[in-house]
Amino acid sequence: MTVQAVLDEIRERPGTGEVIAVVDPATEEQVTEFKDCGPEAVNEAVARAKETAESGVWRDLPPSERAKVLWRVGELIDENAEVLAELESLNAGMTPLQAQGTVTVGSEFFRYYAGWCTKIEGIAADVHTGGLTGIDSHQHAYTLKEPYGVVGLIFPWNGPVFNFCCKLAPALAAGCSSVVKPAEETPLSALVLDNILHEAGVPEGVANLLLGYGHTAGAAITAHPDVEKVAFTGSTEVGRAIVHAAGDSNLKKVTLELGGKSPVVVFDDADLSKAVPMAAFGTFIHSGQACVCGSRIFVQRGIYEQFVEQLANVANGLPQGGPKDEGSLIGPLISEKQLTRVMGYLEQGKSDGVEVVTGGHRLDRKGYFVRPTVLTNVASTSRLFQEEIFGPVVAVLPFDDEDEAVALANDTTYGLAATAWTQDLGRAHRIAKRLKAGTVGLNCQMQFDHSMPFGGYKQSGWGYESGKAGLETYLQTKIVWAQM
Ligand code: NAD
């Protein structure tokens, strides 16, 4: 498929809801539009998925056959890498390098989970026990790992290809059928990926793409009585709404990958030649629109001023522009709404007496560009410090000792990721235990591998994605007792 074919195809997709514009965030121009699928399309998609779950057309395939299809999906993603990366840039404002990277990670998700198809196994035990009756008896017991029937996969705009692959690959490996809803802002790459699934041999009706708003299509999926599980990535606010909807409908299971306000703690023995550029990369990448961005940096007082100066220098030097602007490392925010939100936080901060060391303003050009911004003098009780901004904005605060650093780092309702920089091995491992976050980086930041689980502490999520834990998100455990 070409970019133009995708822009045309989406316009032609049937839908009964509102027309939704697709906008290039680097130019503010509408590139295409589509119709919200509407509630009836959700019902039909869930019914199709349920039919395939019950017929076993996918779940009962020999695991090695499922594996071959998943591997083929990975290959086809690689074959279509160029168009997928172009769409990711056009629709999500990613730099070409970032867009290519995310597509590579996406295809690898399918290859990684292709390997798991043949390794889904339970445990077995010969049990000689009185059990709950107290009557002595002998049984053989074993567990079966079984896929959920229909799962709802709902994800945000900040990594459309990544999120599609990170959810679909394990759900398909497990044998689930699904309804899939990307963010209304970024539907384009999902269209290509959906075609790829079918070309690779995923049977009709097993994975069903739905395009529409969260409050329409997303809410209909979440409330649907035949959807057994929802795996959601997005904001904590919507995550909470999904939990309520699950409770109000069929008590469907819910996995949540939510927001973050991740701390970076820099001790005075840190190697600043690594810590400063990583801290900048770890907060300004994708214009701060990554859930794991280290948006609160705590620096030991002795090196505080030096650190702030160096960080501001790196931030100042970051070339910013659209995907077509040569050498750009930082792109735009996703939408006018997000721009208004980020600028709102900055204006509020300025009126509260926050010091803007660098940035703090829009670029004087078309597109939703905000300069990488370093703030100091931010009160730990302020909204700037406590709330997820999801923009290229970082607050830097000093601390005196380890206890204070831990207290400041943990002073948040979020618990997605945390980083510590120190040459003291004992302190590094001690602080890894004390930081309340699902992922901790010691002298490294923004690490990811398909083999490792990813999930949030506190209000950053429920459950895990990626790794074996990511597969188990789509499996339930049945315990079978056989009297001997
Ligand atoms: P969002 O929560 O507004 O939307 C996410 C998805 O949910 C979209 O597809 C949206 O249409 C849908 N949605 C909205 N309302 C819904 C409802 N009532 N019912 C069902 N679905 C609904 O998030 P966003 O603004 O698109 O993305 C940014 C957020 O995502 C940030 O908070 C970020 O931290 C988070 N995020 C988390 C991770 C992670 O792995 N923890 C990864 C990426 C992004």
Side-chain angles (χ1 to χ4, degrees):
M1 274 179 117
T2 61
V3 168
Q4 192 54 52
V6 175
L7 300 181
D8 293 341
E9 187 179 313
I10 200 165
R11 210 180 260 118
E12 299 307 318
R13 264 179 90 89
T16 57
E18 254 181 64
V19 174
I20 304 174
V22 181
V23 175
D24 174 353
T27 62
E28 302 179 33
E29 277 166 21
Q30 177 172 334
V31 293
T32 187
E33 62 188 21
F34 65 99
K35 289 189 212 76
D36 186 301
C37 63
E40 208 34 58
V42 175
N43 288 338
E44 286 164 14
V46 173
R48 273 198 306 276
K50 189 178 175 194
E51 205 179 303
T52 62
E54 286 175 354
S55 75
V57 62
W58 178 248
R59 66 182 280 165
D60 293 343
L61 263 193
S64 58
E65 293 303 313
R66 282 211 309 274
K68 282 180 200 152
V69 174
L70 262 68
W71 192 272
R72 183 74 189 124
V73 174
E75 285 178 336
L76 286 170
I77 291 176
D78 285 344
E79 284 170 28
N80 288 276
E82 206 173 312
V83 70
L84 281 165
E86 273 181 52
L87 289 169
E88 213 69 342
S89 287
L90 177 70
N91 203 179
M94 287 185 192
T95 62
L97 200 65
Q98 193 190 351
Q100 285 149 16
T102 195
V103 175
T104 305
V105 171
S107 65
E108 200 53 38
F109 263 119
F110 280 92
R111 279 189 286 270
Y112 174 77
Y113 281 109
W116 273 112
C117 295
T118 50
K119 296 164 197 73
I120 298 174
E121 53 196 17
I123 57 167
D126 277 321
V127 184
H128 199 153
T129 171
L132 298 176
T133 65
I135 302 164
D136 189 33
S137 65
H138 184 188
Q139 287 107 17
H140 180 64
Y142 58 93
T143 58
L144 293 173
K145 292 284 185 185
E146 299 185 323
Y148 289 99
V150 182
V151 294
L153 310 176
I154 304 176
F155 44 88
W157 42 260
N158 68 333
V161 169
F162 178 97
N163 281 307
F164 187 106
C165 298
C166 148
K167 287 187 163 42
L168 251 302
L172 287 169
C176 296
S177 295
S178 59
V179 288
V180 185
K181 197 200 90 60
E184 53 273 28
E185 295 88 346
T186 50
L188 300 182
S189 53
L191 226 62
V192 177
L193 291 167
D194 185 53
N195 281 342
I196 285 176
L197 293 185
H198 295 116
E199 190 182 338
V202 175
E204 210 52 47
V206 169
N208 301 275
L209 182 66
L210 290 166
L211 301 184
Y213 283 118
H215 65 271
T216 55
I221 293 170
T222 315
H224 204 292
D226 288 334
V227 174
E228 292 179 25
K229 167 145 202 174
V230 166
F232 169 77
T233 299
S235 60
T236 296
E237 187 192 350
V238 173
R240 192 169 280 117
I242 284 178
V243 170
H244 286 303
D248 290 343
S249 54
N250 57 343
L251 269 184
K252 54 178 63 67
K253 311 290 187 287
V254 177
T255 295
L256 303 172
E257 294 291 353
L258 306 177
K261 190 76 183 176
S262 299
V264 176
V265 178
V266 187
F267 288 96
D268 58 10
D269 63 345
D271 178 349
L272 291 193
S273 70
K274 295 194 175 110
V276 171
M278 266 315 300
F281 173 75
T283 195
F284 298 130
I285 186 174
H286 201 18
S287 265
Q289 300 170 115
C291 53
V292 288
C293 278
S295 51
R296 297 176 306 143
I297 305 183
F298 304 103
V299 186
Q300 204 155 12
R301 203 171 294 276
I303 57 163
Y304 176 71
E305 287 188 2
Q306 182 190 353
F307 184 95
V308 171
E309 190 186 334
Q310 289 186 20
L311 181 69
N313 282 342
V314 176
N316 255 330
L318 287 171
Q320 189 169 21
K324 293 198 177 116
D325 297 321
E326 186 112 7
S328 153
L329 287 177
I330 307 284
L333 295 169
I334 185 72
S335 61
E336 190 169 354
K337 184 173 153 208
Q338 191 63 11
L339 175 77
T340 307
R341 182 184 144 84
V342 172
M343 292 311 293
Y345 277 105
L346 290 175
E347 293 315 319
Q348 174 75 48
K350 286 175 197 165
S351 65
D352 289 349
V354 156
E355 187 190 338
V356 181
V357 184
T358 187
H361 57 86
R362 282 189 76 169
L363 278 191
D364 187 16
R365 59 166 281 179
K366 275 277 185 195
Y368 310 121
F369 296 94
V370 173
R371 272 309 288 161
T373 300
V374 178
L375 305 175
T376 57
N377 202 24
V378 180
S380 63
T381 47
S382 67
R383 288 180 57 219
L384 261 180
F385 186 90
Q386 291 291 343
E387 295 176 13
E388 183 182 47
I389 299 172
F390 229 52
V393 181
V394 66
V396 194
L397 271 78
F399 69 87
D400 288 307
D401 59 23
E402 188 176 317
D403 283 345
E404 192 191 1
V406 170
L408 283 166
N410 288 337
D411 181 17
T412 166
T413 54
Y414 294 110
L416 197 59
T419 303
W421 291 90
T422 176
Q423 312 261 19
D424 178 336
L425 199 58
R427 175 159 66 189
H429 290 293
R430 200 164 56 237
I431 203 162
K433 290 182 78 165
R434 297 181 73 190
L435 291 170
K436 292 188 181 136
T439 294
V440 175
L442 299 176
N443 297 319
C444 60
Q445 201 176 339
M446 307 292 280
Q447 298 303 318
F448 171 79
D449 188 74
H450 302 82
S451 63
M452 294 303 286
F454 177 77
Y457 277 24
K458 300 199 272 184
Q459 294 186 34
S460 286
W462 288 358
Y464 294 90
E465 289 196 314
S466 191
K468 186 181 180 192
L471 176 74
E472 289 182 340
T473 291
Y474 298 99
L475 293 167
Q476 43 195 345
T477 304
K478 179 181 283 172
I479 301 97
V480 183
W481 293 86
Q483 185 67 42
M484 302 298 280

